[in-house]
Amino acid sequence: METGMSTKPLALVTGASGGIGEAIADELGKAGYDLLLIARSKGLLDNVARRLSHQHGVEAETLELDLAGPGAIARIETALQGRVPHVLVNNAGYGLAGRFSAQSRDKQIGMIDLNVTALTDLTYALVGKMEEAAKKPSTHRRGVINIASTAAFQPGPLMAVYYATKAYVLHFSEALNYELRGTGLTCLAICPGGYYANDTTQHCEECVGGCSLCTAGNLLSCQSCRTDSNTSVPYYKEIFNEWCVVDCEDGEFEVLSDNSCQTCSAPCILC
């Protein structure tokens, strides 16, 4: 980032190329923070940076980076060029659905590397400097924002590792917030529910609502969409056929008043 050019506070946001990360970056830009946006998708990231810089009159720099890769922290420190963020947003992460023993080992370990290790490592690299910087008065709030999940509050069969990583994020954040009392910093854990973060063109042509793969849907519903425009429904069907005791025809489920699946002979994990 360019140093000596801006007197605005800085916010560093990971996973900022879309979804929750982009939304938080938007709000921070609106509040007058310069932005360092980090993600693996350079094209999407650059588009977000240009939009936010234009809309809010702040500097918005980008860093294309795999946070779980070697040397990630060193590259971030180089990009900061001595600036200390007022706000660190740890949003980058991913999840997998399916039986633990049937999923790729590398993808599950990679999930821990990103959701847990990279988040912890980046926080450790910056929070001491942020504490020192917080000794100087500022009109802007300072702190760490970690994206956990409603998954953090209970175990999640068929998403066992993902739920466990989010439990870590929540408990780490709560403990760190306690330790930061009196420093001028806070640590906040955000626990959003399920949503579909990718391009909205990837949902179904005829949506009846409640599909976890639609932006209008609710992840905690067993109702599905009936027409597939891309690859959403086959994936949805594959996962839900595994969750349900019986093989539901065409991947369609009827939601009853008690939120159970009519075609299942036992409670569904999402009911």
Side-chain angles (χ1 to χ4, degrees), residues 46-111:
D46 288 344
N47 288 338
V48 171
R50 283 192 293 268
R51 179 178 67 81
L52 298 183
S53 181
H54 176 74
Q55 287 183 353
H56 305 308
V58 298
E59 289 185 3
E61 303 290 337
T62 65
L63 176 62
E64 181 186 12
L65 180 66
D66 178 359
L67 285 159
I73 300 301
R75 287 192 59 193
I76 292 171
E77 290 175 337
T78 298
L80 286 169
Q81 295 186 11
R83 291 185 73 177
V84 178
H86 270 56
V87 177
L88 166 63
V89 181
N90 286 305
N91 171 66
Y94 70 89
L96 292 173
R99 293 178 61 84
F100 172 73
S101 60
Q103 297 299 304
S104 160
R105 173 196 177 276
D106 289 345
K107 288 182 179 179
Q108 294 192 91
I109 298 301
M111 194 193 317

Side-chain angles (χ1 to χ4, degrees), residues 5-16:
M5 299 295 291
S6 176
T7 58
K8 293 183 175 68
L10 174 66
L12 188 160
V13 185
T14 70

Side-chain angles (χ1 to χ4, degrees), residues 8-195:
K8 293 183 175 68
L10 174 66
L12 188 160
V13 185
T14 70
S17 59
I20 292 173
E22 180 182 1
I24 292 177
D26 196 347
E27 292 299 318
L28 289 166
K30 189 184 302 182
Y33 291 83
D34 285 339
L35 302 167
L36 175 57
L37 308 177
I38 300 175
R40 294 185 302 171
S41 306
K42 179 171 174 55
L44 294 174
L45 199 60
D46 288 344
N47 288 338
V48 171
R50 283 192 293 268
R51 179 178 67 81
L52 298 183
S53 181
H54 176 74
Q55 287 183 353
H56 305 308
V58 298
E59 289 185 3
E61 303 290 337
T62 65
L63 176 62
E64 181 186 12
L65 180 66
D66 178 359
L67 285 159
I73 300 301
R75 287 192 59 193
I76 292 171
E77 290 175 337
T78 298
L80 286 169
Q81 295 186 11
R83 291 185 73 177
V84 178
H86 270 56
V87 177
L88 166 63
V89 181
N90 286 305
N91 171 66
Y94 70 89
L96 292 173
R99 293 178 61 84
F100 172 73
S101 60
Q103 297 299 304
S104 160
R105 173 196 177 276
D106 289 345
K107 288 182 179 179
Q108 294 192 91
I109 298 301
M111 194 193 317
I112 297 171
D113 290 342
L114 182 58
N115 296 9
V116 173
T117 305
L119 177 148
T120 307
D121 200 10
L122 182 55
T123 303
Y124 182 82
L126 294 178
V127 75
K129 299 173 184 177
M130 293 168 68
E131 284 186 68
E132 186 65 28
K135 294 176 181 179
K136 299 178 182 179
S138 174
T139 58
H140 288 77
R141 295 190 64 175
R142 303 175 186 264
V144 179
I145 299 174
N146 292 328
I147 306 304
S149 169
T150 52
F153 297 97
Q154 66 278 310
L158 300 177
M159 293 188 76
V161 176
Y162 176 77
Y163 273 58
T165 65
K166 291 304 180 178
Y168 171 89
V169 173
L170 175 61
H171 294 149
F172 169 67
S173 301
E174 290 177 336
L176 182 58
N177 185 62
Y178 186 91
E179 293 182 19
L180 291 173
R181 291 188 305 172
T183 66
L185 300 177
T186 57
C187 182
L188 169 69
I190 298 177
C191 297
Y195 79 109

